[in-house]
Amino acid sequence: MIDSTQPVAVRATEHTSDARTAKRRRLAGRTTPYLFLAPALLLFVGLIVYPMLRAFQMSFYDWKVLAGASSTFIGFDNYTRAMGDPVFWRGLANSGFYMALSVPPQIILGLIIAMFLKAKSPSQPVYRVLFYLPVVTSWVVASLLFKYLFADKGLINWALGDVVHLGDGSTSWLSSRWTALIAICALGVWKGIGWSMMIFLAALQGVPQSLEEAAVMDGANRWQRFRVVTVPAIRPALAFVVVMLVIGGFNVFTSVLLMTGGGPGGQTEVLLTYMYRQAFTNLDFGYGSAIAVLLTVIVLILSLAQMRLFRGDNEEER
């Protein structure tokens, strides 16, 4: 506080001091959040951004990892090689098949279960835990479990042959391309339903009860209330779930590696297992990096297209 009875020079000095103090406080207020974010940002740059840039660089080289060997710049040769590689295209098709077959059931079943669990009851927490348990189960454990279930003499064949009598129960699920992919998709759906359920459940609890009551007073039936009230209210959550599941679908890896190993004869290879095999089995890190970059571009384009689609739907509704 400046005293008006003090000399002018003293008042000017105190005013300057107060201004500097206020400026330091404003500066501290602006920089403090970044100081808290700095450790996480450094980890993100070191573990995510730098490896991505390094992989992008390696994709333009015939990269050598052995001591004394020099890497050779080959330009876009790795990318043109991928464009003419039938295994790459088969891996892309298998990844797309997995995404198309596993994502819709996770969305639909997750939303249905969330609708049933929205109402509070004494048993609700138990069912939430049971449905979410597969999500926190290790991919390795779950993959080995499903490999046993879909084995030639596994539980699935026993149930189909001896219990429901659909066929003779001798289907060799993991020995052909499409049946093996179906088994892998079944694992993806089983593990993913609980995750989408929890997202939808959180979104459903945010739907205003007044909208539901108004729809009931207008004579809307359950389906009409779901279509007109519920779906628009949870659209942001729906967009998030769709985008994340599509990204996860194209990044399927552990289940394929452990259940089929990409076999038989590379028929169930997906992009990530093919990339892994090229980089860490054949030590062709340049080609493996090129596959990783192409997969990143594909996922990025799909994600942007989905977000634009959902954003367009929201704008039309407004």
Side-chain angles (χ1 to χ4, degrees), residues 137-161:
T137 303
S138 166
W139 270 104
V140 174
V141 173
S143 299
L144 295 176
L145 173 63
F146 269 69
K147 184 177 182 179
Y148 165 75
L149 292 176
F150 283 94
D152 292 348
K153 295 183 179 180
L155 187 62
I156 300 298
N157 274 338
W158 171 80
L160 291 175

Side-chain angles (χ1 to χ4, degrees), residues 110-121 123-132 197-198 201 204-205:
L111 183 55
I112 291 174
I113 295 171
M115 293 288 291
F116 279 109
L117 294 181
K118 182 177 68 170
K120 292 183 179 180
S121 66
S123 60
Q124 184 197 57
V126 177
Y127 285 113
R128 288 188 184 183
V129 171
L130 290 177
F131 281 112
Y132 196 74
M197 175 207 71
M198 293 300 292
L201 192 57
L204 288 171
Q205 291 174 344

